[in-house]
Amino acid sequence: MKIYAHRGASGTFPENTLAAFEEAARLDIHGVEFDVHLTKDGELVVIHDETIDRTSDGVGYVKDLTLAELRTFDYGIWFGSEFAGQTIPTLEEVLAVFQQTTHHINIELKSDIFPYEGMGEKVLQVIEKMGMAERVVISSFDHEAVREFKKLAPHIEVAILTLEVLVDAYDYARFIPADALHIFLPTAMRKMAKEALVKGAILRVYTVNDIENAMALQKIGVHAIFTDYPERMKQALEVGTV
Ligand code: G3P
Ligand code: MG
């Protein structure tokens, strides 16, 4: 079972910062996941929430601030004073961290709350510029965005993100069409996941920070997990004990 660092190595570094991504890049793990929003001046930035309130010393919606304005705040100090000075990275800056590694890159489009007009096209341009199309998977809770991205770039893997239990999840994913399902941990032991696996779905599960859960998922054939503690999880899975 493969391991993705969720929002970078976000259990030990401030999420979605270059510090968290440099740590993920250093680790011998399969991949990394992070979240993308669009600024007021149309720049792609990597941050989880629609606002900067929780993960910076500023306030406001990403969509209402320019990149220059967003860069006046600190995105590390909330996590620990030793991380002071971390800024909000652009998509291109994050991809650059992984340019010399083999990590699989999961870019989550956070367009489910605000539609972010033209985001898919911009993300595609950056991926192509960085030459990373063959090792990217685009995911979103916004399944319209997943469908549109697949239309734009059929050669790039896409995945639907789900929070709830679905009936016939595999068939729904094929209908979008999506190449993989990224599902919420509490739904991963339900019929939904087992049926999808039997039908041949690629199934990845978020967010798994507990080794007992990880081992149970490994047993049923889940392809990958997203975890905030990639190093710890890798060591525990290799040893194979709880
Ligand atoms: O992409 C998996 C996971 O990151 C989805 O949830 O809220 O952590 O972005 P969230
Ligand atoms: Mg995410």
Side-chain angles (χ1 to χ4, degrees):
M1 185 172 66
K2 289 164 175 161
I3 292 175
Y4 286 72
H6 181 240
R7 309 180 194 173
S10 63
T12 45
F13 291 81
E15 66 179 57
N16 286 331
T17 61
L18 291 182
F21 294 124
E22 278 154 13
E23 174 66 2
R26 184 187 71 77
L27 298 174
D28 179 23
I29 53 171
H30 182 70
V32 63
E33 185 267 0
F34 53 82
D35 314 285
V36 173
H37 290 260
L38 209 54
T39 67
K40 187 179 176 186
D41 52 341
E43 298 289 338
L44 293 162
V45 285
V46 175
I47 185 167
H48 180 270
D49 300 355
E50 282 67 31
T51 72
I52 63 170
D53 303 14
R54 181 179 60 86
T55 57
S56 83
D57 56 356
V59 291
Y61 284 95
V62 174
K63 69 172 180 59
D64 293 337
L65 296 162
T66 63
L67 179 60
E69 285 165 346
L70 287 162
R71 287 247 159 117
T72 62
F73 302 110
D74 185 295
Y75 296 78
I77 209 159
W78 69 277
F79 196 79
S81 53
E82 67 274 32
F83 299 109
Q86 288 295 316
T87 190
I88 187 169
T90 62
L91 173 61
E92 191 169 330
E93 286 167 346
V94 174
L95 291 183
V97 172
F98 296 97
Q99 202 143 45
Q100 305 303 323
T101 77
T102 59
H103 288 62
H104 198 226
I105 314 282
N106 179 192
I107 304 174
E108 183 186 340
L109 308 180
K110 282 287 186 200
S111 53
D112 40 308
I113 307 285
F114 301 117
Y116 294 132
E117 198 59 42
M119 182 191 234
E121 287 86 346
K122 283 176 191 262
V123 168
L124 179 59
Q125 271 175 19
V126 178
I127 293 168
E128 296 292 6
K129 180 180 169 193
M130 302 301 277
M132 292 166 101
E134 79 294 341
R135 58 182 172 113
V136 161
V137 53
I138 298 292
S139 66
S140 190
F141 288 105
D142 173 2
H143 298 177
E144 290 175 346
V146 173
R147 170 176 277 185
E148 277 163 28
F149 196 91
K150 194 66 182 174
K151 239 185 247 166
L152 267 181
H155 59 296
I156 294 182
E157 184 187 359
V158 299
I160 50 165
L161 268 162
T162 62
L163 190 62
E164 311 291 350
V165 176
L166 292 184
V167 174
D168 294 335
Y170 176 78
D171 297 325
Y172 176 67
R174 296 261 317 230
F175 170 75
I176 295 297
D179 306 294
L181 282 148
H182 292 183
I183 69 170
F184 189 34
L185 175 60
T187 67
M189 286 298 167
R190 303 285 297 253
K191 206 155 118 189
M192 160 177 163
K194 288 175 188 158
E195 278 183 0
L197 284 170
V198 168
K199 287 187 169 181
I202 294 173
L203 208 64
R204 304 184 180 110
V205 179
Y206 67 92
T207 303
V208 186
N209 289 332
D210 180 82
I211 181 64
E212 291 185 28
N213 281 324
M215 290 181 74
L217 294 171
Q218 180 157 260
K219 214 166 166 185
I220 66 165
V222 161
H223 295 83
I225 55 169
F226 301 96
T227 180
D228 299 334
Y229 298 94
E231 186 167 34
R232 192 189 299 171
M233 193 57 88
K234 185 176 162 61
Q235 281 165 2
L237 285 175
E238 276 167 6
V239 174
T241 51
V242 175

